[in-house]
Amino acid sequence: MTLLLKPITRLSLFQTHFQINNNNNPRARATSVSCSWSHGAHKIVREFDPKIPIEKAITPPSSWYTDPSFYAFELDRVFYRGWQAVGYTEQIQEPRDFFSGRLGNVEFVVCREDNGKIAAFHNVCRHHASLLVSGSGKTSCFTCPYHGWTYGLNGELRKATRISGIEDFSINDFGLVPIKVATWGPFVLLNMDNEILQKDNIDTDNVASEWLGSSSELFSLNGVDTTLTYVCRREYIIECNWKVFCDNYLDGGYHVPFAHKGLASGLSLDSYTTSIFEKVSIQSAEGGSKEKEDDRLGSKAFYAFIYPNFMINRYGPWMDTNLAIPLGPRKCLVVFDYFLEASFKDDKAFIERSLADSEKVQMEDIRLCEGVQKGIESPAYSTGRYAPNVEKAMHHFHCLLYDNLIN
């Protein structure tokens, strides 16, 4: 028997999730579970002191990059709070478009409803926890592949199959669990902290203030906008902690002349500068080959790191973004998305050459990062030091992590 249900009122995660199980509150449950490892993680956090100036500071201990309890702790404190970049508005340009993903233990789906509104939910059927969708595409509803429960794009439970005889069943307990969603420029952002209900309209200025702080105007001034054409995606699974990849990005070009000979020839490393903002650091450098009009690097490179794990690179006619997604204490997924100025979108030779050059750099970085992870796990290493003139952004990143983890 199939039961057709009326629309529901969307409730927060803490009002609906697992309510059928003795009205258990997941926040309380998560808190009780986390207490078993938070004490040890707090101790590890305190092994780094952000008050020591960079000239005298030591880096976070190797346990930040290896300890399983620390990894679980930072997922809760770093990734399940605040705005996180997860995708692009181009992925949901039209009504009924959707894309899905995973961050830590959170499976999510983002969609555009028929009325044009963007919505996001936990990608989990409320019946027996099957994932509803994978990848991206277009759909008029989310139908569970396991038992056929069906949800509207607004999260309402529309159809529950073969539940004749069920008792104590409340419609309002079984809609999809919402996630706060917002956009800034071409980016889609999620906020996993559902203590505050999703509003129909989230103030873009407030999102920009929370996500980018006082640096937001610099992104528009440096060509980070919605006029670029999406080209392609590349994904890399790297055998290193996600922070190793971020540290490598944030060393102020320190490793470039040693590890990226080709890239170094296209940049004027003497012009490298680093600017620090609230949760953002921006590195920039002049191009080293201005006479080549078709050079992919152009006359200036703009490298922005948005805490905790999102990187935006704008150079020549290109923009690429790097998202470092933690998969465990010693593994991460790094997602590269490439965008191009419209006037170059039909130049296939240029695109292929540019992507090949970029791929070479990524392979060089992967070797570096995997080597660093092995070194961090060695008994010969505990902590390191900073090069004060170039690694300011890395030190800033570690200080932000400390603030998130200790509070």
Side-chain angles (χ1 to χ4, degrees):
M1 175 180 180
T2 297
L3 178 64
L4 297 178
L5 302 176
K6 297 178 181 179
I8 64 169
T9 301
R10 192 184 305 165
L11 302 178
S12 77
L13 171 63
F14 309 107
Q15 291 170 297
T16 64
H17 197 32
F18 297 131
Q19 223 170 44
I20 195 68
N21 185 12
N22 296 320
N23 291 317
N24 190 24
N25 186 314
R27 172 68 74 179
R29 185 177 64 179
T31 300
S32 66
V33 172
S34 67
C35 284
S36 63
W37 42 256
S38 63
H39 178 74
H42 262 112
K43 184 178 179 181
I44 295 173
V45 174
R46 292 191 180 95
E47 293 180 28
F48 174 76
D49 188 348
K51 296 180 182 178
I52 299 175
I54 189 172
E55 294 80 7
K56 297 181 179 181
I58 60 172
T59 62
S62 57
S63 53
W64 279 35
Y65 299 81
T66 60
D67 190 285
S69 66
F70 185 87
Y71 169 74
F73 186 63
E74 71 180 0
L75 281 181
D76 180 62
R77 294 299 183 93
V78 175
F79 289 98
Y80 299 160
R81 302 180 181 186
W83 293 105
Q84 310 286 336
V86 297
Y88 307 93
T89 54
E90 189 159 334
Q91 293 174 278
I92 46 170
Q93 277 189 319
E94 300 177 352
R96 302 187 176 186
D97 286 347
F98 75 90
F99 69 88
S100 61
R102 179 183 176 95
L103 181 59
N105 294 325
V106 175
E107 299 279 355
F108 63 82
V109 59
V110 180
C111 64
R112 189 177 292 275
E113 299 178 36
D114 287 324
N115 62 8
K117 179 183 175 182
I118 297 175
F121 305 96
H122 289 261
N123 181 23
V124 178
C125 181
R126 300 302 307 283
H127 178 220
H128 284 317
S130 172
L131 297 189
L132 294 169
V133 294
S134 62
S136 60
K138 186 180 287 287
T139 186
S140 60
C141 59
F142 299 123
T143 300
C144 179
Y146 196 10
H147 296 113
W149 284 36
T150 301
Y151 304 84
L153 299 184
N154 59 359
E156 297 172 353
L157 178 59
R158 291 182 177 176
K159 183 172 66 175
T161 60
R162 303 186 68 173
I163 61 170
S164 177
I166 194 171
E167 297 181 4
D168 300 321
F169 181 82
S170 173
I171 292 173
N172 287 344
D173 289 344
F174 286 91
L176 295 182
V177 179
I179 300 174
K180 290 169 63 180
V181 61
T183 62
W184 187 90
F187 309 117
V188 175
L189 314 174
L190 296 184
N191 190 325
M192 306 298 178
D193 188 347
N194 281 314
E195 288 184 341
I196 301 173
L197 286 172
Q198 168 76 67
K199 297 178 180 178
D200 287 338
N201 294 295
I202 292 179
D203 191 318
T204 302
D205 290 338
N206 286 340
V207 172
S209 178
E210 291 178 29
W211 193 49
L212 301 176
S214 58
S215 70
S216 60
E217 188 175 350
L218 291 175
F219 287 82
S220 299
L221 291 174
N222 283 277
V224 178
D225 54 45
T226 58
T227 63
L228 302 170
T229 299
Y230 183 78
V231 176
C232 66
R233 168 170 290 188
R234 299 283 187 271
E235 296 185 350
Y236 307 88
I237 292 180
I238 308 178
E239 296 294 328
C240 72
N241 186 277
W242 68 278
K243 295 187 293 297
V244 169
F245 185 87
C246 295
D247 287 349
N248 178 70
Y249 185 89
L250 294 169
D251 76 354
Y254 197 171
H255 72 284
V256 171
F258 308 102
H260 305 310
K261 303 295 185 183
L263 178 61
S265 67
L267 293 172
S268 174
L269 295 177
D270 290 340
S271 69
Y272 224 101
T273 62
T274 300
S275 302
I276 304 297
F277 300 87
E278 295 89 345
K279 293 183 179 181
V280 172
S281 59
I282 294 176
Q283 304 169 76
S284 60
E286 299 297 324
S289 53
K290 297 179 182 178
E291 71 279 1
K292 297 181 180 180
E293 292 183 3
D294 65 342
D295 181 22
R296 76 181 184 98
L297 295 177
S299 62
K300 183 179 180 181
F302 173 89
Y303 304 120
F305 177 83
I306 304 171
Y307 178 83
N309 65 330
F310 191 55
M311 291 139 268
I312 302 173
N313 311 304
R314 188 70 169 92
Y315 48 92
W318 285 98
M319 180 177 78
D320 70 67
T321 62
N322 321 147
L323 183 64
I325 303 171
L327 297 180
R330 67 180 320 275
K331 181 180 291 188
C332 64
L333 168 67
V334 180
V335 180
F336 278 68
D337 284 291
Y338 292 88
F339 302 79
L340 188 61
E341 291 176 7
S343 59
F344 288 82
K345 68 179 182 180
D346 296 323
D347 190 340
K348 293 183 179 180
F350 173 70
I351 292 173
E352 290 177 4
R353 184 171 66 251
S354 296
L355 292 176
D357 288 344
S358 179
E359 179 77 6
K360 182 175 184 296
V361 174
Q362 308 331 316
M363 293 299 102
E364 291 166 348
D365 275 331
I366 287 172
R367 287 192 291 271
L368 288 176
C369 291
E370 292 185 341
V372 167
Q373 184 68 34
K374 291 176 181 177
I376 284 175
E377 295 171 354
S378 163
Y381 183 85
S382 176
T383 59
R385 297 293 301 271
Y386 298 98
N389 292 329
V390 288
E391 295 184 315
K392 295 186 290 291
M394 187 192 301
H395 182 251
H396 178 242
F397 170 52
H398 296 158
C399 291
L400 290 173
L401 279 169
Y402 177 92
D403 287 344
N404 256 182
L405 294 166
I406 207 67
N407 295 318

